[in-house]
């Protein structure tokens, strides 16, 4: 991938960060698939992503997904490269899948140029290769099948000390949840 903004964003996130974002997904026909906001806290290949609908937590070995509306937890093993098992043969998310986008933000960003046409904006201006060290405020991914995924970065801050327990989903904290363990 040659996009400077994407490389900078991945480096920023891997180093430990909190990022508030909005995310919109539209399929090839223009139908809205998802529109919402969330927060992601990262450290290395570990992350904690929360939206009003779900919580996704990965410590780099296990990924837990808590779907709030249906009170369900799914635990999965994480394959080499940080992608959840079952996401794709190479560990990369499927090119046209909303679930692929949500499965592992690092793999999506690392391989964005392989599966999507990537456009970034900084300060309201379209950019293809941003200045080193500059984070974009919006990233648009267009799949070859015509779906469009837009990630808006609302705020970003570096984190210097994060507790490893933040990246583990403990089913005991959700006593009424149905738990499916796929590890």
């Amino acid at each position: 991938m040659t996009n400077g903004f994407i490389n900078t964003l991945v480096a920023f996130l891997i180093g430990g960060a909190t990022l508030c974002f909005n995310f919109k997904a539209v399929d090839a026909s223009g139908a809205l698939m998802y529109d919402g906001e969330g927060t992601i806290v990262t450290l290395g290949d570990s992350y904690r992503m929360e939206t009003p609908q779900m919580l996704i937590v990965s410590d780099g070995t296990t990924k837990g997904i808590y779907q709030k509306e249906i009170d369900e937890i799914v635990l999965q093993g994480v394959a080499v490269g940080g992608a959840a098992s079952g996401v794709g043969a190479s560990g990369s998310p499927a090119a046209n899948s909303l679930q692929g986008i949500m499965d592992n933000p690092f793999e999506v960003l690392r391989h964005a140029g392989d599966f999507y046409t990537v456009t970034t904006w900084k300060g309201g201006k379209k950019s293809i290769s941003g200045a080193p060290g500059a984070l974009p405020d919006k990233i648009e991914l267009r799949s070859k099948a015509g779906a469009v995924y837009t990630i808006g970065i609302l705020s970003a801050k570096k984190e210097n000390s994060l507790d490893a327990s933040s990246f583990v989903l403990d089913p005991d904290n959700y006593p009424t949840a149905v738990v499916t363990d796929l590890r």
Side-chain angles (χ1 to χ4, degrees):
M1 169 174 35
T2 60
N3 189 304
F5 275 141
I6 301 295
N7 291 334
T8 300
L9 182 59
V10 170
F12 180 81
L13 291 172
I14 293 292
T18 297
L19 187 76
C20 295
F21 64 91
N22 58 26
F23 179 77
K24 184 175 182 179
V26 178
D27 70 15
S29 71
L32 183 66
M33 296 187 301
Y34 183 84
D35 189 4
E37 293 187 353
T39 302
I40 185 167
V41 179
T42 66
L43 180 62
D45 275 338
S46 299
Y47 64 94
R48 179 182 189 88
M49 183 166 38
E50 189 160 6
T51 70
Q53 297 82 17
M54 67 176 45
L55 171 65
I56 303 172
V57 180
S58 177
D59 63 2
T61 304
T62 300
K63 182 177 89 171
I65 302 169
Y66 174 59
Q67 295 183 45
K68 297 173 184 180
E69 189 173 302
I70 60 174
D71 198 24
E72 179 182 55
I73 295 172
V74 175
L75 300 172
Q76 297 175 296
V78 176
V80 176
S85 55
V87 176
S90 67
S92 299
N96 302 318
S97 164
L98 175 59
Q99 188 58 45
I101 291 284
M102 299 302 284
D103 266 339
N104 188 306
F106 305 114
E107 290 303 303
V108 170
L109 291 171
R110 286 178 182 138
H111 297 285
D114 299 340
F115 298 104
Y116 304 96
T117 300
V118 180
T119 306
T120 60
W121 284 263
K122 180 65 181 170
K125 294 184 178 182
K126 192 173 181 178
S127 176
I128 298 302
S129 59
L135 291 177
D137 26 50
K138 184 170 89 171
I139 302 167
E140 185 175 275
L141 306 170
R142 290 186 175 271
S143 75
K144 293 174 181 167
V148 178
Y149 306 100
T150 305
I151 304 163
I153 299 173
L154 306 174
S155 67
K157 73 175 183 172
K158 208 70 179 137
E159 297 288 356
N160 294 323
S161 61
L162 294 167
D163 184 356
S165 67
S166 299
F167 306 110
V168 176
L169 184 64
D170 184 355
D172 291 341
N173 293 334
Y174 306 89
T176 62
V178 173
V179 178
T180 303
D181 193 335
L182 301 175
R183 294 176 284 179

